[in-house]
Amino acid sequence: MTVVAVDASYTFPIVSDVVVIALGQITDVLFTADQPPASYYMAAHPYASTAGVPFDNTTTTGIIIYEDATLSTPQMPVLPAFNDTPTAHKFSSNLTGLVNGPHWTPVPLEMDEHMFVTVGLGLVACGGTANATCASPLGQRLGVSMNNASFQFPTKSSMLQAFFNNVDGIYTTDFPNQPPLVFD
Ligand SMILES: *[C@@H]1O[C@H](CO)[C@@H](O)[C@H](O)[C@H]1NC(C)=O
Ligand SMILES: *[C@@H]1O[C@H](CO)[C@@H](O)[C@H](O)[C@H]1NC(C)=O
Ligand SMILES: *[C@@H]1O[C@H](CO)[C@@H](O)[C@H](O)[C@H]1NC(C)=O
């Protein structure tokens, strides 16, 4: 496979046997059919690196059948282990934009803001009693934060609309430049 774009942005082409993809993400891949004519599974399963956190460990498959193949049981590829961080990191860290490609914009080299952003996941209170958005009987749910600030959905307009139309009051500009505590 040759990865040529991610989320509608051209990438430097990457030749790879595996593609690492996140929720809601789109990857454009050119597929080279250069194997002996046969049928093959293409398969996907989760990458889950955190020990002790349960996840759906099932594998989903599609079948690729070469035109001249005699019908037979598809061959199953050997998939990376669920926690194969080196493979995931090798793929993700290898992705770069296609310099001088269509819609490429040079990254600004002057920095006027230095930020250190940490991502946190923890249990937060959600109103005290169990309800539709708070399944836990203890009145807690998982909450994600960046520099200890959690996202709250705006109700009147999307943030992008507010940004483009200069609408006040939808988002604030005081996102912290660093986490409130020394982060280890
Ligand atoms: C998936 O998880 C179940 C339950 O934890 C376990 O019994 C099974 O061996 C796992 N399957 C694979 C392919 O890891
Ligand atoms: C990605 O991998 C290719 C092939 O190994 C290499 O030539 C290229 O420099 C890598 N790119 C990055 C950004 O690591
Ligand atoms: C993180 O945010 C919560 C909720 O706003 C607040 O109660 C807590 O004090 C903050 N933690 C720190 C270390 O500032």
Side-chain angles (χ1 to χ4, degrees):
M1 292 180 286
T2 308
V3 176
V4 294
V6 170
D7 288 336
S9 293
Y10 286 105
T11 61
F12 184 84
I14 295 179
V15 177
S16 179
D17 285 341
V18 298
V19 168
V20 181
I21 189 166
L23 307 176
Q25 202 176 32
I26 295 171
T27 304
D28 288 298
V29 171
L30 306 180
F31 174 77
T32 307
D34 61 357
Q35 298 300 301
S39 38
Y40 298 88
Y41 280 119
M42 51 186 219
H45 76 186
Y47 161 58
S49 61
T50 312
V53 177
F55 62 96
D56 179 346
N57 67 4
T58 51
T59 298
T60 185
T61 54
I63 300 174
I64 292 166
I65 304 173
Y66 280 56
E67 254 179 21
D68 301 332
T70 48
L71 284 182
S72 61
T73 308
Q75 296 175 35
M76 184 68 180
V78 177
L79 297 178
F82 293 113
N83 61 353
D84 189 344
T85 294
T87 294
H89 181 258
K90 186 175 169 224
F91 180 85
S92 304
S93 62
N94 197 244
L95 281 174
T96 56
L98 184 61
V99 174
N100 293 327
H103 313 298
W104 179 73
T105 312
V107 174
L109 298 179
E110 300 270 310
M111 275 171 265
D112 54 11
E113 192 90 19
H114 289 258
M115 305 180 82
F116 180 57
V117 180
T118 61
V119 179
L121 175 67
L123 286 170
V124 294
C126 52
T129 51
N131 59 37
T133 55
C134 190
S136 152
L138 297 174
Q140 289 181 315
R141 60 180 166 81
L142 286 174
V144 182
S145 62
M146 289 165 72
N147 287 356
N148 200 40
S150 255
F151 179 73
Q152 283 181 298
F153 274 105
T155 51
K156 295 194 180 80
S157 149
S158 82
M159 295 212 294
L160 211 54
Q161 278 173 314
F163 176 75
F164 277 107
N165 300 328
N166 255 320
V167 180
D168 284 342
I170 305 297
Y171 62 90
T172 59
T173 54
D174 59 353
F175 182 79
N177 276 0
Q178 51 207 8
L181 297 173
V182 174
F183 189 82
D184 181 1

